[in-house]
Amino acid sequence: MAALPTTYEGSVPIAVIGGTGLRELPGFTQVASLSISTPWGEPSSPITILHHHCKHNDKVVAIAFLSRHGPHHQLAPHEVPARANIAALRSIGVRSIIAFSAVGSLQEAIKPRDFVVPDQVIDRTKGVRPWTFFEDGMVAHVPFADPFDEGIAKVVRECGHSLDGEGVVLHDRGTIICMEGPQFSTRAESHMYRSWGGSVINMSVLPEAKLAREAEIAYQMICMSTDYDCWHETTADVTVEMVMGHMKANADNARRFITAVLDALASDEHSELVQAKHLAGSIKFGISTPQPHWGTEAQKKLNWLFPGYFQ
Ligand SMILES: CSC[C@H]1O[C@H](OP(=O)(O)O)[C@H](O)[C@@H]1O
Ligand SMILES: Nc1ncnc2[nH]cnc12
């Protein structure tokens, strides 16, 4: 196959981040592969630009796709360069991210291969992953009470339910526990997370969702359950083989779900939402350090992320 162009001229407001078992988006035309370097290093993989023929308005829209764990799943959850990923996506115009994740289920009712659109997160990462763009002399605090974007979530839920009865089972809400890994949980931890009200568990939603919020990007995760972790008495404990088996077996449902979401988001009706106009400029209200005291290095990096914001 001929190599793809390494530049892309058009605007790309929507991105999909693929996780375990979703290293590419089948059925979309690849038109470019961008290798972007950021002040926070290189992203997990080149960003593929895909053309999607939107069924609602007959337009061709460009979608960015990034493989979270790299093209060969060579990055462990704590090694994913989340700051570079989010910064690189923002630099090409991305303002909305649909992030996909394989998760363990902490509730009987969430069966393997069911989908969940989470609305809350509990952070069980251990502080080993860089988790903010604001450091080295520039402090900011962004609201994170609702870690996902309700506007995007609403569209995602409608799309999921449009496939009810066609193999897609969707749970509208849920609390996702983000653990450090890469080892899976102990049985005691798994029971504790259930007692906390956790619905599903993964190793990936943080700091991705926090960094997207700092970058004024609307972010929603779609989870696909692949196992019952290790709390369930009559089901075998989670293994990678189990996770991959369910991802593979349910790949067509995942593809149809994502396609429906991209169709809906690309429609004219959602253009303001997808551009995240509701978040634009919000970071300015979170910065605590007066501008004359900003660290030089921090200012240089933040100017790269937000060109023209801080002149
Ligand atoms: C291979 S099982 C554990 C692995 O699966 C999930 O990956 P992702 O969220 O990228 O789909 C989980 O978060 C762990 O990283
Ligand atoms: N049980 C589990 N724990 C953490 N991450 C997961 N991803 C898929 N299943 C998982």
Side-chain angles (χ1 to χ4, degrees):
M1 203 175 100
L4 290 168
T6 54
T7 57
Y8 185 78
E9 288 305 321
S11 142
V12 192
I14 307 172
V16 174
I17 298 181
T20 296
L22 193 74
R23 276 181 275 162
E24 51 184 30
L25 271 191
F28 293 78
T29 314
Q30 300 189 350
V31 293
S33 174
L34 314 181
S35 294
I36 298 174
S37 185
T38 81
W40 295 275
E42 317 286 316
S44 303
S45 69
I47 296 174
T48 312
I49 307 298
L50 308 162
H51 271 177
H52 174 54
H53 202 120
C54 176
K55 76 173 190 200
H56 296 302
N57 57 10
D58 214 29
K59 279 190 203 156
V60 173
V61 291
I63 311 285
F65 181 83
L66 177 65
S67 176
R68 182 182 291 123
H69 300 283
H72 313 289
H73 202 129
Q74 72 275 34
L75 297 166
H78 64 281
E79 294 172 327
V80 170
R83 291 190 297 189
N85 288 352
I86 297 295
L89 289 173
R90 184 176 163 103
S91 77
I92 58 165
V94 168
R95 296 293 182 272
S96 289
I97 294 176
I98 301 295
F100 207 84
S101 176
V103 299
S105 168
L106 298 171
Q107 301 293 333
E108 184 81 50
I110 301 172
K111 301 193 166 37
R113 304 191 193 174
D114 286 3
F115 294 89
V116 181
V117 181
D119 60 340
Q120 276 302 327
V121 176
I122 294 176
D123 189 354
R124 280 276 299 164
T125 62
K126 300 286 171 68
V128 297
R129 313 171 182 198
W131 62 90
T132 180
F133 289 114
F134 293 90
E135 57 183 5
D136 300 328
M138 195 169 172
V139 177
H141 304 278
V142 296
F144 201 58
D146 293 303
F148 300 106
D149 190 89
E150 251 314 298
I152 303 278
K154 188 166 176 285
V155 176
V156 170
R157 289 181 189 119
E158 282 166 9
C159 292
H161 287 303
S162 75
L163 299 168
D164 279 350
E166 293 177 42
V168 170
V169 176
L170 179 67
H171 302 264
D172 279 339
R173 294 189 180 271
T175 296
I176 181 160
I177 308 277
C178 186
M179 61 173 294
E180 186 54 62
Q183 303 82 359
F184 291 114
S185 306
T186 65
R187 218 176 300 287
E189 287 164 339
S190 198
H191 284 295
M192 178 180 72
Y193 299 144
R194 275 168 53 72
S195 78
W196 288 357
S199 313
V200 291
I201 182 164
N202 78 358
M203 306 175 190
S204 303
V205 68
L206 297 176
E208 207 170 81
K210 291 185 176 181
L211 294 165
R213 179 62 55 83
E214 287 188 345
E216 298 179 354
I217 294 174
Y219 177 95
Q220 181 61 51
M221 181 162 266
I222 300 180
C223 301
M224 198 194 94
S225 161
T226 52
D227 52 86
Y228 277 119
D229 201 35
C230 59
W231 62 270
H232 199 279
E233 281 174 10
T234 56
T235 307
D237 296 343
V238 56
T239 61
V240 167
E241 194 185 5
M242 196 185 281
V243 172
M244 296 310 279
H246 283 297
M247 276 305 300
K248 205 165 167 206
N250 218 22
D252 193 51
N253 285 332
R255 185 193 55 76
R256 286 187 306 125
F257 191 175
I258 292 173
T259 304
V261 170
L262 295 178
D263 264 332
L265 290 179
S267 71
D268 300 336
E269 174 194 357
H270 293 125
S271 76
E272 296 258 306
L273 171 67
V274 160
Q275 289 291 343
K277 299 276 191 213
H278 54 297
L279 297 177
S282 58
I283 196 63
K284 291 177 192 159
F285 302 106
I287 297 174
S288 304
T289 318
Q291 190 156 7
H293 300 280
W294 289 354
T296 321
E297 199 48 34
Q299 189 160 352
K300 230 195 286 170
K301 286 179 168 177
L302 270 302
N303 277 336
W304 192 94
L305 188 63
F306 299 110
Y309 262 39
F310 307 123
Q311 306 308 334

